[in-house]
Amino acid sequence: MAIARSLLLFGVVLSCCGVLFVASSSDTIFYDSFDENWDGRWIVSQSSDYGGKWKYEKSEGHEDYGLLVSQPAKKYGIAVDLPEEVNPTDNTVVLQYDLRLQKGLECGGAYLKYLLPQAAGWTPSDFNNESPYSIMFGPDKCGSTNKVHFIFRHKNPKTGKYVEHHLTNPPMIINDKLSHVYTAVIYPDHTLKILIDGEEKKTANLLSNDFDPTVVPPETIPDPEDKKPEDWDDRAKIPDPEASKPDDWDEEAPKEIEDEDAEKPEGWLDDEPDEVDDLDAVKPEDWDDEEDGEWEPPKVSNPKCEEAPGCGEWTRPTKKNPAYKGKWRAPLIDNPEYQGIWAPQQIPNPEYFELEKPNLEPIAAIGIEIWTMQDGILFDNVLVSHDEAAATEYREKTWKPKFDAEKEKEAAEVKLDDPGKLSALDGIKAKVFEVLYKIVDIPFLANYKSQIEELLAKGEKNATVTLSILATIPIILLTLLYSLLFGKKKSPPVVSVEEIKKEDVVVPDDAVATKEEAVVEEDSQEPAGEIEGEDEPSATRRRTRRDT
């Protein structure tokens, strides 16, 4: 009886804290609605790298609270332990959270890291970018990077090394200011499904070419010890040794010559300069001749030149020289000694292994470790579960009411701005998008299908950008069609020996590198308006003597 009361009390405490740890029968491992302040559950990293301040704030226009990124141009780190480890290998695992970019996202991350069990003694306050993770999932945007990351780390059973495997052609983020919910489902048959707002956006196989690098390494690799023979001739074409420069070939002839037939236009003003002093200019009252030099009025375009064909000294224009031939070179012929492009022989890959299914690493904690130029990023309703139905239920009960309210407000603002705009757009939008979705299925657009579909989906959902989407999509399609029909085919690149022999090295995600460089650049910049050697910055510096 005492045990039962203790368990009941424990459940009440957890409920009051705003975190729901559901019994194994529901298959929900972790859920945080942030109905109560997160402080004490989510622990801010004590690493000095993370200066960004997390806040407990309402989502704009709602009574619903979340975990808020409150300052721009900062690094953030925060983590929470799970009540139990989650094994993604033998069970379906659902990772889901709400995200609202209340000020958009120009450059920064908004993803979650699902952490491995850490070393003994580790606590969430020790969390940093070196804390090993099993899965990284969520939006990231900066420069050309615009994607919903899905990265998982897998240990090579031959070498014991962990390798990051990145989802190729991931979905694009929805970069508006509305609430959206991101879901990743990993199945025991090593299938991955990514949903945005409950709609399936990507399906992939963890063991396929959907990930780079692939989990299973190539069976053979170039032999690093194999060297190109010194007498190997890989020149497909060579200058004709029998050719000689024609006797009448003039290499010294200029490319252009003066046009002797040109005549100075009638009315050309030889004695008028292009610019004259501005007669309306007045010497500033605070101008100091001793400090600033003798004041001269600024120059303006000579009004007389605007009416005449030209001013100043007239010179004859140049034209192409019909006798120009340039430097003579022997024509190219097929190389009779050509042996082809050399490549090292293939040998068995010592890191190769066979695998029926990936051994995904367990998840013991969740961390948010991001750098962003925007504040206003709000995380909410973080879920880890084995039950897809539970994820669907949370979406319907927590995310959808917020999203619907935001859409209604957005539509009302559009109507208020232009009452006729929305009704006129609705009359043609459905038919136009129906045609565009059919066009996307054309085979030659296969490589661009996912990107175009993302753009179309954004246009359908966001009334404020629909007109832009409608105008942009046909242009993109016509451009692609023109490129395929008339574009010049490129020759395959010639791969150097050094490039062939490079070992495959797993590098950090491109967005992370971009962010780190941006932080360094930002920190190294001097405040605007400050001048070295002066006590105080001045808003405007006096004009010194104008260069003549």
Side-chain angles (χ1 to χ4, degrees), residues 382-400:
V382 180
L383 171 71
V384 178
S385 179
H386 292 301
D387 187 3
E388 278 191 87
T392 301
E393 183 178 356
Y394 281 122
R395 285 198 302 267
E396 292 299 316
K397 290 184 177 180
T398 61
W399 163 75
K400 196 162 190 314

Side-chain angles (χ1 to χ4, degrees), residues 14 17-21 28-42 56 64-67 80 96-98 366 379-384 394 398:
L14 291 179
C17 289
V19 182
L20 180 61
F21 299 150
T28 295
I29 306 301
F30 175 88
Y31 174 67
D32 198 336
S33 65
F34 297 98
D35 288 341
E36 298 293 335
N37 198 322
W38 51 264
D39 191 19
R41 302 191 308 278
W42 292 76
Y56 179 62
D64 186 50
Y65 283 83
L67 178 62
V80 60
Q96 179 171 285
Y97 68 101
D98 294 2
I366 301 174
F379 296 87
D380 198 5
N381 297 310
V382 180
L383 171 71
V384 178
Y394 281 122
T398 61

Side-chain angles (χ1 to χ4, degrees), residues 87-316:
N87 181 0
T89 298
D90 299 323
N91 301 285
T92 295
V93 172
V94 183
L95 310 174
Q96 179 171 285
Y97 68 101
D98 294 2
L99 180 69
R100 189 176 186 190
L101 307 173
Q102 297 176 121
K103 295 185 179 180
L105 187 63
E106 293 302 319
C107 188
Y111 43 78
L112 270 58
K113 288 184 174 180
Y114 298 87
L115 306 178
L116 275 66
Q118 306 295 304
W122 184 91
T123 68
S125 64
D126 300 318
F127 173 58
N128 57 42
N129 67 330
E130 299 296 328
S131 301
Y133 66 89
S134 173
I135 293 170
M136 190 170 93
F137 170 59
D140 188 23
K141 182 179 187 300
C142 199
S144 60
T145 299
N146 180 6
K147 58 187 175 184
V148 178
H149 277 298
F150 188 92
I151 306 170
F152 71 95
R153 297 174 76 244
H154 189 272
K155 186 160 87 171
N156 185 311
K158 280 281 191 72
T159 65
K161 295 188 300 184
Y162 280 96
V163 179
E164 290 182 350
H165 303 279
H166 295 239
L167 178 64
T168 58
N169 299 317
M172 292 192 298
I173 72 172
I174 301 179
N175 195 9
D176 57 24
K177 300 178 182 180
L178 308 181
S179 297
H180 297 285
V181 56
Y182 291 86
T183 310
V185 187
I186 307 161
Y187 298 95
D189 66 353
H190 47 81
T191 297
L192 167 71
K193 183 168 65 177
I194 292 180
L195 303 91
I196 303 177
D197 297 347
E199 296 182 12
E200 186 175 321
K201 296 297 182 182
K202 180 76 175 183
T203 300
N205 186 312
L206 299 181
L207 291 181
S208 72
N209 291 331
D210 294 329
F211 285 85
D212 182 32
T214 57
V215 172
V216 178
E219 194 167 355
T220 62
I221 59 172
D223 183 0
E225 302 298 327
D226 194 11
K227 305 296 182 182
K228 179 180 176 181
E230 294 183 0
D231 60 350
W232 188 279
D233 194 339
D234 55 8
R235 299 172 300 161
K237 298 281 186 179
I238 60 172
D240 185 357
E242 304 297 328
S244 59
K245 183 173 69 174
D247 294 337
D248 60 349
W249 191 286
D250 185 1
E251 292 185 333
E252 304 300 325
K255 191 172 184 178
E256 291 192 345
I257 58 175
E258 196 174 76
D259 186 359
E260 297 293 341
D261 296 329
E263 296 182 358
K264 182 169 67 175
E266 185 176 351
W268 189 280
L269 305 179
D270 297 87
D271 299 327
E272 290 289 342
D274 290 328
E275 291 184 335
V276 295
D277 289 341
D278 183 359
L279 300 180
D280 295 327
V282 178
K283 179 180 178 180
E285 294 181 0
D286 61 347
W287 188 276
D288 188 328
D289 288 341
E290 292 184 1
E291 179 182 343
D292 302 319
E294 182 182 354
W295 182 82
E296 297 178 9
K299 295 289 187 181
V300 296
S301 297
N302 188 344
K304 294 182 181 180
C305 297
E306 295 177 1
E307 301 174 359
C311 290
E313 181 183 358
W314 180 82
T315 57
R316 282 190 172 86

